[in-house]
Amino acid sequence: MASIMVERSGRVALLTLNRPKALNALNLAVMQETVAALRELDRDPSVGAIVITGSEKAFAAGADIKEMAPKTFADVFLEDWFAAWDQLAQLRTPTIAAVSGYALGGGCELAMLCDILIASDTAKFGQPEIKLGVIPGIGGSQRLTRAVGKAKAMDLCLTGRFMDVDEAERAGLVSRVVPVDQLRDVALEVAKTIADMSLPIAMMAKEAVNRSFETTLSEGVRFERRVFHSTFATDDQKEGMAAFIEKRKPLFSHR
Ligand code: CAA
């Protein structure tokens, strides 16, 4: 059985982690299949947004502990264990994590690698690696801190406790909370809204927001201004503004 499933509906792609018995623990196969599938979808201009989800009980309960347990320092160092996940930070297509149940360790980190995090009212987040004698390894100490600030990031990384969805929303980790039975539909609806926008413009908006994590305010604003100017080189800027003036819906050509 494949570790993931990929479905398409119009310009939206849905990737479902598919190891429900292991609470979608992220083993080597899941990592390789997920990264390969997402890179392929990212290269396809007929895909305008990607939703990543798990099961109702678990988005993903972390890296696969049974697979990691026997490894030595030399194993993980020489294999650069987890480095492949970094490729998800390079995706240009907007991504949405639809999180129900546990998003722990690598599961929380995978959700944070997405652009928008929509969670069900059952979602639980945490970086419990410390309880296993390790620390986060797919960016959790960095992305969680940027998302929720030092106070909560330290609390979660040092105690290993789980954070429920209300706390996660208050802390700014989650952009929307929805009832669990509506999670998939809401995430797909948000993805469709984004996928109906101009793909190059959506990519530029994503790149500009992400730049804020990498640079100073004045350099970030300068980058934004240059990209804003370049949107006027697209057909979709002409179409978007003409549609507003003509009081109709825009039909973007993604050019
Ligand atoms: N790796 C491997 N298997 C896992 C797993 C994981 N991260 N999480 C759950 N499973 C497996 C369990 O071993 C169990 O398998 P068996 O039926 O074969 O025993 C099955 O999934 C169901 O799990 P539980 O019986 O434990 O389910 P529960 O409802 O009692 O508890 C849970 C749920 C609280 C999420 C608990 O499973 C748990 O604490 N999981 C581990 C969470 C964790 O520590 N994650 C961090 C991993 S390290 C990491 O991710 C490093 C990094 O930064 C990348």
Side-chain angles (χ1 to χ4, degrees):
M1 190 171 72
S3 313
I4 61 164
M5 291 184 303
V6 178
E7 296 158 80
R8 279 288 300 272
S9 165
R11 294 181 53 74
V12 171
L14 172 67
L15 186 151
T16 307
L17 302 172
N18 188 32
R19 291 187 75 207
K21 286 202 183 93
L23 304 186
N24 290 326
L26 305 168
N27 63 6
L28 187 62
V30 175
M31 178 175 77
Q32 287 173 341
E33 289 175 33
T34 301
V35 171
L38 289 172
R39 290 191 60 185
E40 193 180 324
L41 291 168
D42 194 47
R43 280 192 296 268
D44 181 349
S46 74
V47 176
I50 304 166
V51 176
I52 302 170
T53 197
S55 68
E56 191 172 318
K57 181 165 180 192
F59 176 74
D64 192 312
I65 299 165
K66 292 168 191 166
E67 189 178 64
M68 281 187 296
K71 291 202 176 284
T72 64
F73 166 76
D75 292 334
V76 293
F77 181 77
L78 292 172
E79 291 168 32
D80 206 0
W81 201 243
F82 294 150
W85 288 113
D86 295 346
Q87 294 172 60
L88 302 194
Q90 309 307 324
L91 299 177
R92 300 173 80 207
T93 311
T95 53
I96 298 172
V99 175
S100 174
Y102 296 110
L104 304 174
C108 188
E109 292 166 308
L110 174 58
M112 291 191 294
L113 273 162
C114 296
D115 303 317
I116 296 177
L117 203 167
I118 301 179
S120 83
D121 44 15
T122 65
K124 283 190 171 43
F125 299 88
Q127 299 290 162
E129 289 88 347
I130 195 158
K131 295 200 255 179
L132 301 166
V134 292
I135 72 166
I138 313 177
S141 65
Q142 306 304 300
R143 290 197 179 87
L144 186 67
T145 309
R146 281 167 168 77
V148 306
K150 175 179 166 180
K152 274 202 196 295
M154 281 290 190
D155 182 352
L156 293 172
C157 290
L158 291 177
T159 68
R161 77 172 173 90
F162 302 163
M163 176 164 72
D164 71 17
V165 79
D166 293 333
E167 185 179 359
E169 191 187 26
R170 280 198 307 277
L173 182 63
V174 164
S175 54
R176 304 187 197 194
V177 181
V178 297
V180 64
D181 56 338
Q182 292 171 26
L183 176 68
R184 195 183 137 111
D185 287 350
V186 171
L188 290 172
E189 193 56 43
V190 174
K192 185 179 180 321
T193 300
I194 295 169
D196 285 344
M197 304 296 177
S198 163
L199 180 59
I201 304 297
M203 287 174 166
M204 290 180 201
K206 166 172 171 162
E207 193 179 357
V209 173
N210 278 335
R211 185 59 70 101
S212 72
F213 290 102
E214 307 285 351
T215 190
T216 62
L217 179 61
S218 59
E219 283 305 317
V221 171
R222 179 189 292 267
F223 176 82
E224 179 201 80
R225 186 78 25 78
R226 293 289 173 260
V227 176
F228 169 74
H229 292 158
S230 72
T231 61
F232 287 74
T234 65
D235 295 343
D236 286 339
Q237 174 268 330
K238 299 286 171 287
E239 167 62 9
M241 293 194 181
F244 175 82
I245 292 164
E246 293 160 17
K247 299 190 189 302
R248 60 175 175 81
K249 279 186 80 167
L251 192 58
F252 292 120
S253 61
H254 312 292
R255 310 301 293 181

